[in-house]
Amino acid sequence: MENKLAQPGILIRRITLVVLAVLLAISASLLGFHLIQISDPYVSTVLSLTGDSSRGHDMFQINCAGCHGLQADGKVGPSLQHVSKRKSKISLIHQVTSGQTPPMPKFQPSPQEMADLLSYLEKL
Ligand code: HEC
């Protein structure tokens, strides 16, 4: 039987397919990261709730002010004034819940608590 791979036409078609598959995989992983964050059920629940900034303020005083200052003007952690101009809602939620930037701990607020906190952070 003839070896099909040896035929140049088929070989080129296969290489093209492999290249396309690799490009597709790369763009899917770049795009996927963002889509996964939005489709995360916790994040979408938080985003669907209306936050109460005065409850968020209370939570902030208890959990965050030790590092970020009573006025969120910075101490061990950076000042959070106008933080919502630098960071999207999704990245603020991620910052609070991921624990990826030690020494800031990983917090696990309920979706309503996170919505309250978010609404406070957005007023800074
Ligand atoms: C143990 C100290 C500590 C506590 C407690 C803490 N943080 Fe932080 N936080 C930090 C540090 C340090 C950073 C800077 C991390 C980095 O980017 O490397 C930070 C960064 C942040 C940022 C990103 C700021 C920016 O300009 O990008 C936000 C938003 C934030 N913290 C919110 C909070 C909230 C809300 C709480 C309470 C739920 C909290 N933090 C509690 C130490 C803390």
Side-chain angles (χ1 to χ4, degrees):
M1 210 171 82
E2 208 179 338
N3 182 1
K4 286 195 172 175
L5 258 184
Q7 294 176 10
I10 290 178
L11 195 60
I12 287 169
R13 230 176 291 161
R14 289 209 175 162
I15 290 173
T16 313
L17 274 180
V18 169
V19 169
L20 281 179
V22 169
L23 286 178
L24 200 71
I26 292 173
S27 50
S29 66
L30 290 177
L31 200 74
F33 182 62
H34 197 65
L35 293 179
I36 287 165
Q37 283 187 320
I38 297 175
S39 65
D40 178 309
Y42 177 80
V43 172
S44 55
T45 309
V46 171
L47 294 178
S48 73
L49 295 167
T50 308
D52 174 336
S53 64
S54 88
R55 264 188 284 163
H57 175 259
D58 294 345
M59 278 187 60
F60 187 88
Q61 299 301 302
I62 297 166
N63 297 287
C64 325
C67 287
H68 290 284
L70 286 172
Q71 315 295 327
D73 48 356
K75 229 168 138 186
V76 182
S79 164
L80 301 180
Q81 296 299 320
H82 311 294
V83 71
S84 63
K85 296 210 172 67
R86 299 193 293 276
K87 295 205 153 188
S88 68
K89 287 179 190 232
I90 293 176
S91 60
L92 285 172
I93 297 171
H94 188 67
Q95 173 74 41
V96 171
T97 58
S98 73
Q100 278 173 1
T101 56
M104 180 161 155
K106 174 187 169 98
F107 292 93
Q108 292 176 303
S110 72
Q112 185 60 57
E113 288 169 336
M114 187 65 236
D116 296 345
L117 199 52
L118 202 53
S119 123
Y120 170 71
L121 292 175
E122 289 187 311
K123 293 207 164 145
L124 290 172

